[in-house]
Amino acid sequence: ETGVTQTPRHLVMGMTNKKSLKCEQHLGHNAMYWYKQSAKKPLELMFVYNFKEQTENNSVPSRFSPECPNSSHLFLHLHTLQPEDSALYLCASSQDPAGELGETQYFGPGTRLLVL
Amino acid sequence: AQKVTQAQTEISVVEKEDVTLDCVYETRDTTYYLFWYKQPPSGELVFLIRRNSFDEQNEISGRYSWNFQKSTSSFNFTITASQVVDSAVYFCALSDPNAGNNRKLIWGLGTSLAVNP
């Protein structure tokens, strides 16, 4: 596999469920990101990891919990979500550590999440 | 404050027409980067181009070209002889040293391009 992969591609969950989103990058990059994309809103940065260390939590509710076991894998653990959390969740990676001006981010295909 | 404006929400063209997608940005800094990404219906954001603020040369890549004008703070994207496969949402983004510790990308809202056969 090449690039950035995400699983699952689609997810429907109830508000009491617990689920996890997985992201894997095959590019040898040092930084990984979670974004939320909702209709009519700019892309929202949620979490940033540099060399496996979390460097950004962009005021994300605690019902979203990230995990980065190594520089190639990133998870987003979900529990007790709300219907307004329904969105496309995108993972990205970059060669340069996040914070380097102008680093290019490469994105996965996203997980389309629906919370009922 | 940093801002990226893509004033065209939706554009519809017929195949083989040329189309220009506008991007206007705001920044106080002299050093910054601009990006264009394409998001087809599959969802993945595909990187198209990165341009730094000191390089005002226009760029051409096949049917794609970009016009960077610092005087008007614009970084417009033109598709020549559009094809149905160009149908997607196109995003412009700004990387700015004043955008916070992680130099977050400032994203526009995107322009949805529909190319009809």
Side-chain angles (χ1 to χ4, degrees):
Chain A
E1 291 229 51
T2 58
V4 181
T5 58
Q6 289 186 244
T7 55
R9 294 294 308 276
H10 300 273
L11 180 62
V12 179
M13 58 188 289
M15 289 192 283
T16 57
N17 291 158
K18 283 186 179 183
K19 296 285 184 185
S20 295
L21 311 184
K22 179 183 175 183
C23 174
E24 183 173 1
Q25 58 97 358
H26 309 269
L27 301 169
H29 287 172
N30 297 309
M32 296 187 77
Y33 312 74
W34 278 117
Y35 283 88
K36 177 183 179 182
Q37 187 178 33
S38 306
K40 311 293 185 189
K41 291 184 179 180
L43 217 58
E44 298 174 49
L45 180 64
M46 300 174 71
F47 301 104
V48 180
Y49 279 82
N50 269 327
F51 299 100
K52 304 187 303 176
E53 299 297 321
Q54 185 176 323
T55 58
E56 178 91 8
N57 175 340
N58 203 23
S59 303
V60 180
S62 59
R63 57 186 183 269
F64 294 91
S65 173
E67 178 190 359
C68 189
N70 56 62
S71 58
S72 298
H73 293 86
L74 186 64
F75 295 89
L76 188 63
H77 304 299
L78 316 171
H79 65 99
T80 58
L81 294 192
Q82 305 297 311
E84 59 264 29
D85 297 322
S86 299
L88 180 68
Y89 288 85
L90 291 160
C91 174
S93 70
S94 65
Q95 173 66 56
D96 297 319
E100 291 280 329
L101 182 65
E103 83 272 8
T104 299
Q105 295 178 26
Y106 294 87
F107 286 80
T111 295
R112 194 163 295 281
L113 173 67
L114 177 62
V115 182
L116 300 176
Chain B
Q2 307 82 31
K3 188 177 177 182
V4 173
T5 301
Q6 295 180 254
Q8 305 148 308
T9 307
E10 294 179 1
I11 300 176
S12 181
V13 300
V14 177
E15 212 170 12
K16 298 184 183 176
E17 281 186 32
D18 298 347
V19 58
T20 295
L21 310 182
D22 297 333
C23 173
V24 174
Y25 61 93
E26 293 177 29
T27 176
R28 295 191 305 270
D29 220 281
T30 57
T31 304
Y32 51 88
Y33 284 79
L34 293 160
F35 299 80
W36 275 96
Y37 283 84
K38 171 184 179 180
Q39 188 175 38
S42 59
E44 178 178 355
L45 276 162
V46 178
F47 166 71
L48 295 178
I49 190 171
R50 179 184 78 165
R51 175 52 52 86
N52 77 55
S53 54
F54 296 106
D55 182 1
E56 287 195 73
Q57 272 196 314
N58 290 334
E59 175 108 4
I60 298 175
S61 176
R63 295 183 298 105
Y64 294 172
S65 62
W66 290 269
N67 183 359
F68 180 29
Q69 298 273 350
K70 285 181 79 169
S71 59
T72 55
S73 296
S74 65
F75 186 41
N76 296 338
F77 172 33
T78 297
I79 302 175
T80 302
S82 59
Q83 299 176 2
V84 173
V85 293
D86 295 326
S87 297
V89 182
Y90 291 85
F91 291 92
C92 181
L94 166 70
S95 176
D96 185 310
N98 294 307
N101 290 336
N102 276 305
R103 307 198 195 283
K104 289 186 278 288
L105 285 177
I106 311 299
W107 294 86
L109 288 176
T111 296
S112 178
L113 173 65
V115 181
N116 303 300

